[in-house]
Amino acid sequence: MRRHKTQARRTGLPDWLVPYALLLPGLLVIAALLLYPLYQMVDMSFHQVGLRQIRAINPSPAEFVGLDNYSSILDSDLFWTSLRNTVIFAVVTVALTLILGTLVGLLLNKLGPKMSTFVVVGIMAAWATPPTAQAVVWKWLFDSDAGVVNWALNLLPDWLSSLVFGRSDWSGQPWFNDTITLYLVLIIAVVWASFPFIAVSVLAGLKSIPSELYEAARMDGATGVGTFRKITFPLLKPVFSVLVVLSTIWDFKVFTQLYLLAGGTVNRDAFNLSLWSYAEAFSSPPKMGLGAAIAVVLTAILLVITFVYVRNIVKTEDVR
């Protein structure tokens, strides 16, 4: 209180206004970097925008088309295909990322300081790899002619490969031509790059749990699964809640890896909402208004999901 009153005296502002004044620079930066581009995207979604509207010399005014772009989205079969691909991919990837990241975080908590640091540095290298480099590496690994994956699968005994995968010869397997196998590779690539963040976050949360709780659980004869269910998960629930929201947002917006693995916008059956938005906005002839409308729909879906999830979190905390 004394500090706030001192700041108020120095600035000449009322006490209640000081926190808002301190937040103002950050809010201005957010408005410039986030809110203004968001406004431009929403505004563009109500117009027909092409090359004539964005050229540097004598640009033509954009024609206002109202909700026509949104009507085109709902009438297109690609919307439902892209939405299905986006949702299924996000659900599977978020679940696998959280499970693998949690298991690795629990493992790191059991290791000594030196080994834990060594493993953390190693896995964070994957998380720090740019999405373009990730896609290039995994595209090479699953290459149909020179890929390591096909070579390794051919090393399996024929009976085992036939029993597990239904085939024994993997020579020339085109992983990126079929939508299902393409998304299989995409899920592996995204999980590989995403789980380190989850693991390190879970490890940080585990360090904050008093060791006496685990000692008491061991004395009561609790198993590892029971300890996790009764102690670890309840205490780390706020951490998991934030990780679920962040992972959902990231996985709904995956673009770079899918674009490079799919070889551009050729396979329209493999579109997610982000790739479809890009295809409409930058393919010839460009329909940037329609692409912006798809991006607005994707943003609205993410806002609804985030709002519902955060609201449930707040309700749960209020009940407690």
Side-chain angles (χ1 to χ4, degrees):
M1 291 295 294
R2 292 180 179 177
R3 183 179 300 177
H4 286 304
K5 290 181 178 180
T6 303
Q7 292 174 343
R9 294 193 191 100
R10 290 176 180 176
T11 59
L13 298 174
D15 291 348
W16 64 270
L17 195 57
V18 172
Y20 298 99
L22 296 175
L23 289 174
L24 183 61
L27 294 175
L28 291 176
V29 172
I30 292 175
L33 298 180
L34 179 63
L35 298 182
Y36 180 71
L38 183 62
Y39 161 76
Q40 289 282 57
M41 181 182 70
V42 174
D43 180 66
M44 186 182 294
S45 70
F46 294 107
H47 293 79
Q48 184 177 353
V49 182
L51 292 178
R52 294 181 178 180
Q53 285 72 36
I54 63 171
R55 60 188 178 186
I57 301 175
N58 296 326
S60 302
E63 179 185 353
F64 181 79
V65 294
L67 297 175
D68 288 354
N69 288 326
Y70 293 96
S71 298
S72 299
I73 292 174
L74 296 177
D75 293 338
S76 175
D77 293 336
L78 276 176
F79 171 69
W80 304 107
T81 301
S82 302
L83 181 62
R84 178 201 63 198
N85 293 340
T86 302
V87 173
I88 294 177
F89 167 77
V91 170
V92 174
T93 307
V94 169
L96 292 177
T97 302
L98 288 172
I99 292 172
L100 181 59
T102 301
L103 292 175
V104 174
L106 293 172
L107 174 63
L108 290 172
N109 194 46
K110 297 293 184 180
L111 298 177
K114 293 183 179 180
M115 182 56 68
S116 178
T117 302
F118 175 77
V119 176
V120 167
V121 172
I123 63 175
M124 289 305 290
W127 183 72
T129 304
T132 302
Q134 297 170 21
V136 171
V137 169
W138 286 99
K139 192 163 188 176
W140 171 76
L141 289 174
F142 282 88
D143 184 78
S144 58
D145 297 322
V148 175
V149 173
N150 285 350
W151 170 81
L153 289 173
N154 277 328
L155 295 179
L156 296 174
D158 291 345
W159 66 268
L160 180 60
S161 181
S162 300
L163 179 64
V164 177
F165 303 106
R167 59 182 298 177
S168 58
D169 185 14
W170 293 89
S171 302
Q173 167 65 21
W175 294 93
F176 306 109
N177 292 349
D178 183 71
T179 301
I180 295 177
T181 54
L182 169 63
Y183 268 91
L184 175 63
V185 179
L186 180 64
I187 288 171
I188 295 173
V190 173
V191 170
W192 172 79
S194 303
F195 87 87
F197 177 78
I198 306 296
V200 173
S201 300
V202 171
L203 176 62
L206 289 171
K207 296 297 184 182
S208 65
I209 300 177
S211 58
E212 293 81 2
L213 296 177
Y214 292 110
E215 293 176 2
R218 283 195 297 269
M219 293 180 63
D220 291 339
T223 62
V225 176
T227 301
F228 178 82
R229 187 166 57 90
K230 295 293 185 179
I231 298 177
T232 305
F233 182 76
L235 293 178
L236 292 186
K237 197 170 183 179
V239 176
F240 285 122
S241 300
V242 174
L243 293 177
V244 168
V245 172
L246 292 177
S247 298
T248 302
I249 293 173
W250 294 336
D251 293 339
F252 257 81
K253 299 190 303 178
V254 165
F255 167 77
T256 304
Q257 298 96 319
L258 177 59
Y259 178 83
L260 294 175
L261 291 177
T265 58
V266 178
N267 186 0
R268 298 173 71 85
D269 290 335
F271 280 3
N272 63 0
L273 290 175
S274 296
L275 188 56
W276 184 32
S277 174
Y278 172 86
E280 295 294 348
F282 298 104
S283 296
S284 182
K287 303 175 183 176
M288 296 184 181
L290 181 57
I294 299 171
V296 170
V297 171
L298 175 58
T299 304
I301 293 173
L302 286 174
L303 288 175
V304 170
I305 294 174
T306 304
F307 173 78
V308 172
Y309 195 80
V310 172
R311 185 181 180 185
N312 289 334
I313 296 173
V314 173
K315 283 185 175 180
T316 303
E317 294 298 326
D318 289 341
V319 169
R320 292 182 181 180

